[in-house]
Amino acid sequence: MSEPIRVLVTGAAGQIAYSLLYSIGNGSIFGKDQPIILVLLDITPMMGVLEGVLMELQDCALPLLRDVIATDKEDVAFKDLDVAVLVGSMPRREGMERKDLLKANVKIFKIQGAALDKYAKKSVKVIVVGNPANTNCLTAAKSAPSIPKENFSCLTRLDHNRAKSQIALKLGVSADDVKNVIIWGNHSSTQYPDVCHAKVKLHGKEVGVYEALKDDSWLKGEFITSVQQRGAAVIKARKLSSAMSAAKAIGDHIRDIWFGTPEGEFVSMGVISDGNSYGVPDDLLYSFPVVIKNKAWKFVEGLPINDFSREKMDLTAKELTEEKETAFEFLSSA
């Protein structure tokens, strides 16, 4: 058995965490021989609910869980972390402008970034889930200057999984038969689900998704909007946001960081841009195709980008630039 790793989940009394925590504890994310000290953080008014979550985790009798700590204190939660999964954020309320949402979340993620900087290991891997995820992740990274910015990523894997699934359903194959879809940009309705480079296994051989579907109008229309608006569709149907699928995507994202991506496959992840890849401005937290090895990600370089894709990629970069500017105004005055 390895030494235990310390894994933090924030917003731990919420419904995404409730779907996620069992997967962390049972070995399906970090491996069946990796003991875990699980740290649960939430705000003080949620401590009663968190106590119930703690009891349930104890009652699962999971052999890999060496300890479960429930707290509302940053110095306890962020101490010596190997992994931080930042799920908790201020949700958008009815009548709330995006600017109001950014202001509330800049405050939260500035505090959490500073706590990571002060208490966590410098090697900590930070995954931001709470929306607006890209800009929240950038805020946290900027507030933790002693931790490499490459250690921060935000979740666009749910969108990636949604895109794979839509293609698989259309072709009547398993989602596992579809690979190398890309989510470009923001985890918002401007994201661009791109299947120009995606492959699907049909009748035992790999073909391009465009070639397999022969339906350009669907791929450039309904497919894109259905992925962009899937979260809203789930809320409309369920009266609650995506929790099971979000938790599954978080698990996929972390497992790929921990164990690497399969040979010949890439995944979508919100990471810091360097200004040299795909015309995306420097210092944006933007979703790119990446490959991962030895817990380090690299851009998938050299994919040809057509005019249709370029326009979509620029549109979502513009939204992220505006978000960043608004957030940084608040960050400097917070």
Side-chain angles (χ1 to χ4, degrees):
M1 277 283 184
S2 327
E3 282 296 299
I5 55 170
R6 286 181 84 91
V7 179
L8 166 68
V9 178
T10 73
Q15 57 153 357
I16 291 175
Y18 194 74
S19 291
L20 172 67
L21 294 170
Y22 179 74
S23 301
I24 294 175
N26 74 1
S28 61
I29 294 176
F30 293 103
K32 300 291 183 190
D33 58 353
Q34 179 57 68
I36 285 168
I37 296 166
L38 187 54
V39 189
L40 312 177
L41 176 69
D42 216 311
I43 55 175
T44 308
M46 298 303 291
M47 288 308 289
V49 177
L50 200 55
E51 189 59 35
V53 175
L54 173 68
M55 286 192 275
E56 280 213 75
L57 281 165
Q58 290 168 341
D59 295 349
C60 286
L62 295 165
L64 290 172
L65 276 188
R66 292 299 161 86
D67 196 7
V68 184
I69 300 157
T71 184
D72 58 357
K73 294 180 174 58
E74 260 114 24
D75 58 339
V76 176
F78 288 88
K79 188 170 173 51
D80 296 334
L81 289 180
D82 295 284
V83 179
V85 190
L86 308 184
V87 179
S89 65
M90 167 72 81
R92 191 170 190 162
R93 303 225 163 89
E94 211 171 328
M96 197 186 236
E97 295 291 325
R98 197 164 178 86
K99 192 169 182 177
D100 300 327
L101 185 68
L102 282 164
K103 186 175 185 178
N105 280 297
V106 160
K107 194 174 169 188
I108 294 167
F109 285 86
K110 181 181 183 181
I111 290 167
Q112 294 191 345
L116 284 162
D117 203 56
K118 187 172 180 182
Y119 300 114
K121 292 179 180 175
K122 300 308 172 197
S123 58
V124 65
K125 299 295 184 188
V126 184
I127 298 93
V128 177
V129 179
N131 286 320
N134 297 59
T135 302
N136 287 346
C137 188
L138 187 62
T139 301
K142 292 289 179 188
S143 305
S146 70
I147 295 169
K149 58 187 183 297
E150 294 78 18
N151 288 21
F152 288 81
S153 59
C154 83
L155 187 76
T156 55
R157 187 58 169 270
L158 177 52
D159 310 301
H160 180 100
N161 287 351
R162 285 165 171 164
K164 276 179 66 164
S165 170
Q166 292 294 309
I167 298 297
L169 288 166
K170 190 83 169 169
L171 286 167
V173 298
S174 154
D176 258 9
D177 293 326
V178 182
K179 70 176 189 183
N180 297 352
V181 302
I182 302 168
I183 303 297
W184 297 102
N186 201 359
H187 175 61
S188 76
S189 58
T190 67
Q191 63 171 269
Y192 170 43
D194 175 8
V195 292
C196 293
H197 313 286
K199 301 265 191 272
V200 60
K201 196 183 284 179
L202 275 183
H203 315 301
K205 64 173 190 170
E206 265 187 8
V207 292
V209 163
Y210 265 86
E211 185 191 334
L213 272 169
K214 299 180 176 65
D215 191 346
D216 279 24
S217 63
W218 182 79
L219 283 168
K220 289 182 172 175
E222 190 188 328
F223 163 71
I224 291 173
T225 53
S226 71
V227 175
Q228 288 173 333
Q229 295 164 15
R230 187 69 163 189
V234 170
I235 290 171
K236 189 177 176 189
R238 213 172 84 88
K239 309 296 182 272
L240 290 165
S241 62
S242 318
M244 181 176 19
S245 53
K248 161 66 166 58
I250 294 165
D252 293 343
H253 179 117
I254 298 170
R255 195 182 308 107
D256 282 344
I257 290 174
W258 218 248
F259 295 107
T261 44
E263 194 65 40
E265 286 190 37
F266 46 81
V267 294
S268 306
M269 197 178 271
V271 293
I272 196 80
S273 61
D274 60 4
N276 299 317
S277 296
Y278 298 104
V280 177
D282 186 30
D283 209 33
L284 278 189
L285 211 296
Y286 188 99
S287 182
F288 288 93
V290 299
V291 289
I292 306 165
K293 193 175 182 180
N294 300 326
K295 298 188 175 66
W297 58 265
K298 282 197 329 200
F299 296 120
V300 175
E301 296 285 12
L303 298 172
I305 303 297
N306 61 31
D307 291 346
F308 178 83
S309 295
R310 182 76 268 158
E311 190 181 324
K312 299 280 186 195
M313 289 161 68
D314 289 349
L315 186 73
T316 192
K318 181 174 181 283
E319 182 185 58
L320 277 171
T321 303
E322 288 164 4
E323 273 188 26
K324 175 186 168 179
E325 284 166 2
T326 306
F328 280 27
E329 278 171 40
F330 296 136
L331 193 59
S332 58
S333 63

